[in-house]
Amino acid sequence: MKRIEAIIRPENLAPLRQQLETLSYPGMTVIQVEGHGRQKGVSRQWRGMEYRTYFLPKLKVEIVAPDKAVRKILDAIVDTCHSGSVGDGKIFLSDVRDAIRIRTREKGDKALL
Ligand SMILES: Nc1ncnc2c1ncn2[C@@H]1O[C@H](COP(=O)(O)OP(=O)(O)OP(=O)(O)O)[C@@H](O)[C@H]1O
Ligand SMILES: [Mg+2]
């Protein structure tokens, strides 16, 4: 099992969700976050003054999925969230030791599918 954490632009959530519907994915958690990458935010000029915004609103989409489902989910995220401009986001992948569906007490992959 893997945890996919994708930091994406908020406007990409709806297209991503639609794209994921065509695959088998077990569920997702969406969290409103703020952050910055290597550009450290954005700066804008206004009336000759420079204003810097360090943290930009993003969404974190978290999906815990069976190993065999991971590649297609990653492809769907990259395909729907790539514009080629800075700030498109990032995906972090990590191992998950176990999952439990509380209703049925199923564990592991069975708790996901
Ligand atoms: N190393 C990191 N650790 C944790 N969160 C990160 C990291 N890099 C990026 N993020 C999160 O992802 C969001 C989008 O990052 P962003 O796409 O700007 O990354 P980047 O490395 O600056 O790439 P790019 O040059 O394409 O902008 C950030 O606002 C932040 O929330
Ligand atoms: Mg950036």
Side-chain angles (χ1 to χ4, degrees):
M1 269 174 291
K2 297 271 190 285
R3 180 192 299 105
I4 299 165
E5 285 170 289
I7 319 285
I8 65 169
R9 298 184 198 274
E11 62 267 30
N12 288 331
L13 179 64
L16 173 59
R17 201 205 55 77
Q18 278 190 322
Q19 185 63 35
L20 286 172
E21 229 171 63
T22 69
L23 315 174
S24 78
Y25 77 99
M28 67 166 82
T29 302
V30 180
I31 307 145
Q32 294 186 327
V33 294
E34 291 188 331
H36 70 71
R38 59 186 176 173
Q39 290 82 17
K40 300 191 165 57
V42 289
S43 71
R44 289 191 198 83
Q45 300 275 346
W46 193 68
R47 296 190 173 175
M49 295 280 286
E50 179 158 317
Y51 295 87
R52 189 157 194 95
T53 305
Y54 289 96
F55 297 103
L56 299 173
K58 302 280 176 182
L59 293 179
K60 182 160 96 169
V61 175
E62 208 173 289
I63 301 173
V64 176
D67 288 351
K68 63 175 168 14
V70 167
R71 195 183 53 79
K72 283 189 174 172
I73 294 171
L74 294 178
D75 287 348
I77 296 169
V78 174
D79 288 347
T80 54
C81 298
H82 171 271
S83 75
S85 301
V86 296
D88 271 354
K90 217 163 256 184
I91 305 173
F92 303 108
L93 201 59
S94 45
D95 291 321
V96 172
R97 280 181 37 203
D98 209 352
I100 300 170
R101 176 175 283 120
I102 293 175
R103 178 174 63 84
T104 57
R105 300 174 194 265
E106 290 163 294
K107 287 190 170 181
D109 281 359
K110 285 203 186 98
L112 300 179
L113 295 171

